[in-house]
Every structure is written in structure tokens, then in C-alpha cells.
Amino acid sequence: MKCKSYETFFVNFSNKSKLNIITALRNEPLNVKTITKKINEEQSAVSHNLKKLSACHVLDVKKAGKERIYSLNKDTVIPILRLVEKHVIKNCSGSCCKK
Amino acid sequence: MKCKSYETFFVNFSNKSKLNIITALRNEPLNVKTITKKINEEQSAVSHNLKKLSACHVLDVKKAGKERIYSLNKDTVIPILRLVEKHVIKNCSGSCCKK
DNA sequence: ATAACATAGGATTAAGAATTCATATGAAAT
DNA sequence: ATTTCATATGAATTCTTAATCCTATGTTAT
């Protein structure tokens, strides 16, 4: 599947676990264990998600010994999050986005 | 559920049907029947999706007789789509975002 | 008042995704 | 060479979501 259909990209932001990872990395690159502790989920689940996130270049990885350090692709992610923040402030002052 | 957790917002972009609706409305507001024809899906499925999209203010609705005219919230949606386009061009020249 | 049209909504089923568990890989330390 | 630690991967299960079907609501026209 190619990126030209954008749905795969957005899936990376459309559930809590993945969004937790993104949030955890907003300020600093982290290794898997630290992410796992920070968001309080199974290591295995985190790894599965990290794989998808980095397949889409939402995250970058680099190896450091036996660790892998994941970092946010800030060029794309930060501006998108900002837009959504703005959207929510403007449109969702009460509660919205109900399922 | 409140918008403060953004995953619900992003769900609106994370499958083909919803993204087709968004694309169909990129240039002009349309009524349900026209959207349905344009994206070639069941009227009922389209209505279900329209509800979610407008609950999140990704779309606006206005009534016109027996029709309902849906339009894109361009303030939010267009800039986000542009960012993703840019991201894809930069990062996904081959194929990426595989599931 | 009834018929025709446009759209919405509920309930069920089917499809897809996330979670979990068990195991594998690979790197550093002893 | 073996153990330990960090991470990844595959398979099975469990959830979640979307798709479908059927019916309801509301609007206009006759």
C-alpha cells in the first residue's frame, strides 16, 4: 500500500496507544523500555506500534547498542498536533467528537 | 468523550470511506445523494460516516428543504491535508506506510 | 391525506485491528 | 560460551469498527 492514500498515515494518530507514544516522545527521544514504562503498556504491544509508526516515518529509529532510540518526526507531527489543538479549542469547547 | 484526547478526531481521516467523503467535499459542498453517487457507497453507510465527521466539526451541515448540504471545515482540514501531502512527498517516495 | 423523495438511525453481522502470550533475535557483560 | 538485558516477531484471541439491512423521520408535492 502506498502513502498516496492517506488513511494509513492517519491510523497512526487514531488510537490511544499510538497517540500515547507520540505524546511521550514530544519532548525527547526515548528507548523502548522508557516509553513502555511511561505509557504503562506491554513491551510487546509498544513494539508492535513503534513498528507501524516508524514504517510511516512518523517516528525515526536509531540503534544504540542493544537499545533502540525512537524520536518524533517533528517536521510533520508537531504542526499537525498544533492544528488539531487549535481545532479543538475553537470547535469543541463543550464535548464533541462523540463516537 | 471529550476532544482533549485527539484520537477521535483522527479517526475521521483514518479509513477510506471517510477520506473519500472529505475528498469529495474538498472543492464544493454537496448533499448526501451526490456524495453517495460520487464515492459509490451505500447511502446508509455514508450517512453514518457523515454523522461522525460532523460531530467532530470536520464537516458542517445545513438543511435545505429535504436535503442536507455538507461542507468541509476548510480552516482545519485543508492545512492538515497539505501537511500530510508534504510528508508523503518527502518520506514516502517509494512505498511506505505499509500495514 | 397520501405518496414520493432525502436522509437518519438502530440492530446485527462481518471484517479488521489491537492486545496478549510465548518465543526469537541480537548485543553486551561475565 | 553462557547469561542477561533490550527489543522484535508470530500466532491466537479478544475488541473495535465498519458494512449491511431494515425501518423511521421529516419534507415537499399532489
Side-chain angles (χ1 to χ4, degrees):
Chain A
M1 176 190 278
K2 300 274 175 86
C3 260
K4 64 174 176 177
S5 64
Y6 300 149
E7 93 238 33
T8 311
F9 176 86
F10 284 110
V11 167
N12 292 305
F13 299 82
S14 66
N15 74 42
K16 198 158 277 175
S17 305
K18 298 199 187 76
L19 217 44
N20 279 342
I21 291 174
I22 290 171
T23 305
L25 294 172
R26 194 155 180 178
N27 296 313
E28 41 174 1
L30 298 171
N31 67 21
V32 177
K33 202 179 182 187
T34 310
I35 297 170
T36 300
K37 262 185 273 175
K38 216 171 173 185
I39 73 177
N40 197 37
E41 290 185 25
E42 289 245 29
Q43 176 270 314
S44 171
V46 173
S47 273
H48 281 299
N49 278 327
L50 287 171
K51 190 181 184 181
K52 290 176 195 167
L53 285 160
S54 42
C56 236
H57 299 275
V58 169
L59 304 184
D60 296 318
V61 212
K62 60 180 178 185
K63 298 177 80 170
K66 51 185 171 184
E67 303 182 358
R68 305 214 181 162
I69 312 295
Y70 285 87
S71 60
L72 205 60
N73 178 344
K74 294 197 173 186
D75 288 350
T76 301
V77 178
I78 300 293
I80 287 181
L81 292 179
R82 281 206 216 293
L83 280 165
V84 178
E85 277 171 45
K86 218 174 77 182
H87 175 88
V88 169
I89 290 168
K90 191 172 176 190
N91 300 286
C92 309
S93 49
S95 79
C96 73
C97 294
K98 294 201 192 66
K99 291 198 181 184
Chain B
M1 176 189 279
K2 299 275 176 85
C3 258
K4 64 175 178 179
S5 64
Y6 300 149
E7 93 239 33
T8 311
F9 176 86
F10 284 110
V11 167
N12 294 304
F13 298 82
S14 66
N15 73 43
K16 198 158 280 177
S17 305
K18 297 198 189 76
L19 218 43
N20 280 342
I21 291 174
I22 289 170
T23 306
L25 294 171
R26 194 156 181 177
N27 296 314
E28 40 173 3
L30 297 171
N31 67 19
V32 178
K33 201 179 183 186
T34 310
I35 297 170
T36 301
K37 262 185 273 175
K38 214 171 173 185
I39 73 178
N40 197 37
E41 289 185 26
E42 289 243 30
Q43 176 268 317
S44 172
V46 172
S47 273
H48 281 299
N49 278 328
L50 287 171
K51 189 183 185 180
K52 291 177 193 166
L53 286 161
S54 42
C56 237
H57 299 277
V58 170
L59 304 183
D60 297 318
V61 212
K62 59 178 179 184
K63 299 177 78 171
K66 49 187 171 184
E67 302 182 1
R68 305 214 181 161
I69 312 295
Y70 285 87
S71 61
L72 204 60
N73 179 344
K74 294 197 171 183
D75 287 350
T76 301
V77 178
I78 300 293
I80 288 182
L81 292 179
R82 281 206 216 294
L83 281 165
V84 178
E85 276 171 45
K86 218 174 77 181
H87 175 88
V88 169
I89 290 168
K90 191 172 175 190
N91 300 287
C92 309
S93 50
S95 79
C96 74
C97 294
K98 293 201 193 67
K99 292 198 178 180

